[in-house]
Amino acid sequence: MMSADTHPLTYRVNLAQPLDLKGYEAQEGYAALRKALKEMQPGDVTKVVKDANLRGRGGAGFPTGVKWGLVPMGADAPKQKYLVCNADEMEPGTFKDRLLMEGAPHQMVEAMIVAAWALQASRGYIFLRGEYVVAAERLNRAIAEAKAAGYLGADILGTGWSYELFVHTGAGRYICGEETALLNSLEGRRANPRAKPPFPQIAGLWGKPTVVNNVETLCNVPHIVLRGGTWFQGLSQGKSKDAGTKLYGVSGRARRTGCWELPFGTSARELLEVHAGGMKDGLKLKCWLPGGASTDFLMPEHLDLAMDFDTIAKAGSRMGTGLITVVDDKQNIVSVVRNLEEFFARESCGWCTPCRDGLPWTEKVLAALEQGQGRPGDLEVLEQLTRFLGPGKTFCAHAPGAMEPLQSALKYFRAEFEACIAKPDARVAA
Amino acid sequence: MSEAAIKLADLPAARPFMLHPDDRAAIEHETHHYEDPRAASIEALKIVQHRHGWVPDGALAAIGEVLGIPASDVEGVATFYNLIFRRPVGRHVIKVCDSVSCFLTGYDEVKQAFQARLGIGLGHTTPDNRFTLLPICCLGACDKGPVLMIDEDTHVNVQPDHINELLEQYK
């Protein structure tokens, strides 16, 4: 049975008919908000989030409390500060934030208020991808209800603190999920990333202190406020030193694909074999992406690893969003990687040269290999590209992310790539 | 030489564009959500597109005037985002997810079925102006692939033999 104690994020999720304000309040809704605003100082909220060891669920795993701790506080701090929810879920293979926003919109709204109290933010934006039409409608309705109930607006619950919340819908482009590109997009500009430093916590939206957090990260905050850091740490049941639950999932050709809230550190094998019921009949697992298109492939022998940030990193990949994509043995790995690189090439914002030119080059080489028209030296070119587009060589993490599946596919399936290099006479014929 | 040169007068004139009063009011309302009116540029483009189906040339200056920014900035934004159309599209826009989970579960077959049924490739519009076919990146319903959107509706677990029935819902 799902309860607040075991499935805090999803026990109130109802996709068909999400709880309205009254229904949500009847199930502890806005209790965290009341507790935070009436009994806690803003700094106390940040402290409990730090103590809980909440790490960002958007893919990078940065400690949320540390991020918040960098925001200027007190009388000398700028009056305008912003909290932005990154709800631009577009990482291929990721479908968790949609569930939280469509199924429990009031939880998202409450999270946006409690977190804003900790930061003493003046305004919040939920940066939602334009395609999430249902989520936009439900969030806007929840915001209107919360406003009417006095949870948003001027002098909330008599504290003297005023806060407004808006849903801002985007118009496409994966790069908007990059924190600083998101801020440019929110300001009504092209979504090119910004140079860091200054970090958004100091100078973000319109140059004001700004925190950007993922949907799932924020939705944990009211529960931590209500039940405390020790409770939150206990949710992972000793499976990981990371705390809390995690929305994990499986997509690809498995029997029962889906998304489930489970203790942090649940193994990939449990996700695939227990929750997803294994691969579809007649198919075997060839390899898997642990958490989105921008994570390195792992192999069947890695299935017993705990799905947490450090364990997956040690195996040479990243946990990313934690929703795994399984590749079956009927797939040609060169085609799968070509598909991934086509995505990254198309979604490059074009701001920096290595990414803008290197990704289409990568895609072109892979497309030729896929057609059996690869040339001797192509694999070396691809390997060189993984270095030229790697961390530190580009303006943001887009191209380095794109190189992760490519470099790991080359490592594990080199023979399949080599088989795509045309014999000299075949090349002439083409 | 001079005979071959194109005279400005011979070029088709940009059609005059008038921002609908309701759209102007909606855009002005949006600007109040932000510290800087420029932030409403994407929403403004969506408002215009909602009425016209796409963003005609003349709309750029009209939006720029309301927001107090150059038309070239509006164009820079319009051409960056893939859900803003700078060319006319059909009455209904089909957006087929081509990202990895859908690719693994049958994107190619679905795409080919659409192309065969509509007689057009990706990026094109049917001659009767009913459908435009576009690829789109991950729609966040990967457990139910293949996934696509038609206008604002998301359709999941799409199979090639569903397509006729699906298209009949959009006249």
Side-chain angles (χ1 to χ4, degrees):
Chain A
M1 190 56 203
M2 296 223 288
S3 76
D5 277 326
T6 56
H7 298 78
L9 296 175
T10 54
Y11 82 105
R12 290 175 295 195
V13 161
N14 184 337
L15 287 171
Q17 179 87 57
L19 294 170
D20 63 3
L21 182 81
K22 279 220 168 73
Y24 182 70
E25 283 179 323
Q27 293 194 54
E28 284 196 327
Y30 293 102
L33 179 145
R34 288 177 181 282
K35 182 176 174 184
L37 268 63
K38 298 233 180 224
E39 298 168 26
M40 296 167 82
Q41 293 299 313
D44 299 338
V45 177
T46 301
K47 187 173 180 306
V48 71
V49 168
K50 246 184 220 170
D51 292 346
N53 189 25
L54 174 64
R55 296 177 69 175
R57 266 53 165 164
F62 192 80
T64 306
V66 175
K67 193 186 249 188
W68 292 6
L70 300 171
V71 173
M73 297 295 291
D76 296 336
K79 292 219 162 31
Q80 281 166 313
K81 290 192 269 186
Y82 294 100
L83 171 64
V84 178
C85 174
N86 186 344
D88 196 54
E89 182 168 68
M90 226 181 278
E91 179 70 29
T94 302
F95 47 101
K96 63 185 180 71
D97 296 340
R98 181 198 274 269
L99 177 82
L100 292 172
M101 292 185 289
E102 289 184 359
H106 271 291
Q107 174 172 261
M108 178 82 256
V109 172
E110 183 179 14
M112 282 297 286
I113 304 171
V114 175
W117 169 254
L119 305 165
Q120 289 293 290
S122 51
R123 212 175 248 194
Y125 294 100
I126 300 173
F127 188 104
L128 182 71
R129 64 179 299 188
E131 294 91 335
Y132 281 10
V133 182
V134 173
E137 193 186 298
R138 291 177 177 183
L139 287 169
N140 274 319
R141 195 179 312 145
I143 288 171
E145 283 186 319
K147 205 168 180 173
Y151 297 141
L152 280 168
D155 188 23
I156 300 168
L157 302 187
T159 54
W161 174 62
S162 301
Y163 174 66
E164 285 183 289
L165 177 59
F166 297 103
V167 174
H168 174 101
T169 57
R173 296 309 294 272
Y174 171 73
I175 195 66
C176 293
E178 200 278 342
E179 180 176 71
T180 59
L182 184 150
L183 295 178
N184 272 337
S185 185
L186 191 39
E187 289 186 8
R189 301 169 193 276
R190 293 166 74 93
N192 298 321
R194 296 176 179 177
K196 290 193 273 192
F199 288 91
Q201 293 92 320
I202 308 300
L205 203 53
W206 298 298
K208 308 296 189 327
T210 304
V211 161
V212 183
N213 282 140
N214 166 262
V215 171
E216 186 187 353
T217 313
L218 284 165
C219 285
N220 276 296
V221 171
H223 303 286
I224 292 170
V225 164
L226 216 50
R227 293 186 162 72
T230 313
W231 165 82
F232 190 73
Q233 302 243 13
L235 285 174
S236 53
Q237 302 177 2
K239 289 172 190 278
S240 168
K241 66 179 165 61
D242 286 329
T245 59
K246 177 79 192 75
L247 294 187
Y248 290 116
V250 173
S251 69
R253 295 207 278 178
R255 278 205 186 92
R256 294 187 304 271
T257 48
C259 178
W260 315 280
E261 183 179 11
L262 296 164
F264 218 113
T266 299
S267 75
R269 185 179 301 283
E270 185 183 326
L271 299 182
L272 176 59
E273 293 179 1
V274 178
H275 301 283
M279 300 297 289
K280 281 196 169 153
D281 287 338
L283 298 176
K284 280 201 195 102
L285 179 67
K286 178 172 184 153
C287 56
W288 51 289
L289 295 163
S294 60
T295 59
D296 287 83
F297 282 106
L298 290 174
M299 298 298 281
E301 64 259 32
H302 297 118
L303 276 180
D304 289 312
L305 296 179
M307 284 285 286
D308 70 24
F309 294 111
D310 296 351
T311 309
I312 298 297
K314 249 184 230 160
S317 184
R318 289 191 306 121
M319 190 190 74
T321 61
L323 285 92
I324 72 178
T325 306
V326 292
V327 179
D328 55 82
D329 59 343
K330 294 284 192 304
Q331 308 282 349
N332 174 350
I333 194 70
V334 179
S335 299
V336 176
V337 177
R338 192 267 306 148
N339 170 269
L340 290 164
E341 298 309 326
E342 191 181 341
F343 165 80
F344 286 110
R346 189 174 70 199
E347 295 300 329
S348 169
C349 78
W351 182 248
C352 74
T353 312
C355 179
R356 183 186 61 227
D357 289 358
L359 290 174
W361 186 10
T362 309
E363 183 200 340
K364 207 172 160 185
V365 172
L366 287 162
L369 285 166
E370 189 184 13
Q371 302 297 319
Q373 296 297 320
R375 294 189 293 187
D378 275 357
L379 270 54
E380 288 70 25
V381 167
L382 290 175
E383 275 167 342
Q384 201 174 37
L385 282 163
T386 64
R387 289 191 297 275
F388 286 171
L389 302 185
K393 306 282 174 43
T394 56
F395 202 75
C396 80
H398 180 82
M403 292 301 105
E404 293 184 23
L406 173 61
Q407 71 195 12
S408 48
L410 285 167
K411 179 169 81 178
Y412 293 123
F413 302 104
R414 197 176 174 92
E416 277 191 54
F417 283 87
E418 277 168 353
C420 296
I421 293 174
K423 301 279 179 290
D425 49 338
R427 272 211 318 282
V428 174
Chain B
M1 183 68 191
S2 61
E3 271 175 303
I6 297 167
K7 291 191 194 109
L8 190 61
D10 294 339
L11 289 172
R15 295 217 183 130
F17 181 88
M18 276 287 289
L19 205 51
H20 191 282
D22 293 352
D23 293 352
R24 176 181 290 270
I27 295 168
E28 277 167 356
H29 174 76
E30 282 298 322
T31 61
H32 301 312
H33 297 177
Y34 308 98
E35 228 179 90
D36 175 1
R38 176 191 293 269
S41 63
I42 295 170
E43 197 56 39
L45 288 161
K46 286 203 231 174
I47 288 167
V48 167
Q49 182 165 294
H50 187 73
R51 182 174 301 279
H52 300 272
W54 66 298
V55 177
D57 294 349
L60 303 171
I63 291 171
E65 187 224 309
V66 177
L67 302 180
I69 60 175
S72 55
D73 282 14
V74 182
E75 174 73 323
V77 169
T79 51
F80 188 89
Y81 296 97
N82 58 293
L83 296 180
I84 303 296
F85 306 130
R86 280 291 282 114
R87 281 195 280 174
V89 291
R91 290 197 298 285
H92 305 290
V93 179
I94 306 168
K95 290 162 279 193
V96 189
C97 171
D98 64 355
S99 293
V100 66
S101 298
C102 289
F103 176 77
L104 293 169
T105 49
Y107 157 74
D108 270 331
E109 289 77 6
V110 170
K111 178 189 73 175
Q112 280 159 16
F114 271 116
Q115 289 178 334
R117 168 71 175 71
L118 300 174
I120 53 170
L122 292 173
H124 292 271
T125 300
T126 53
D128 64 357
N129 212 33
R130 187 168 156 202
F131 292 112
T132 296
L133 185 63
L134 296 174
I136 197 155
C137 80
C138 186
L139 288 170
C142 319
D143 53 335
K144 305 180 192 74
V147 183
L148 57 86
M149 286 184 86
I150 302 182
D151 301 336
E152 298 209 323
D153 309 327
T154 301
H155 298 277
V156 299
N157 296 316
V158 179
Q159 297 304 317
D161 56 2
H162 295 166
I163 281 170
N164 282 341
E165 204 183 328
L166 195 59
L167 291 179
E168 279 312 299
Q169 300 168 36
Y170 300 89
K171 291 295 179 186

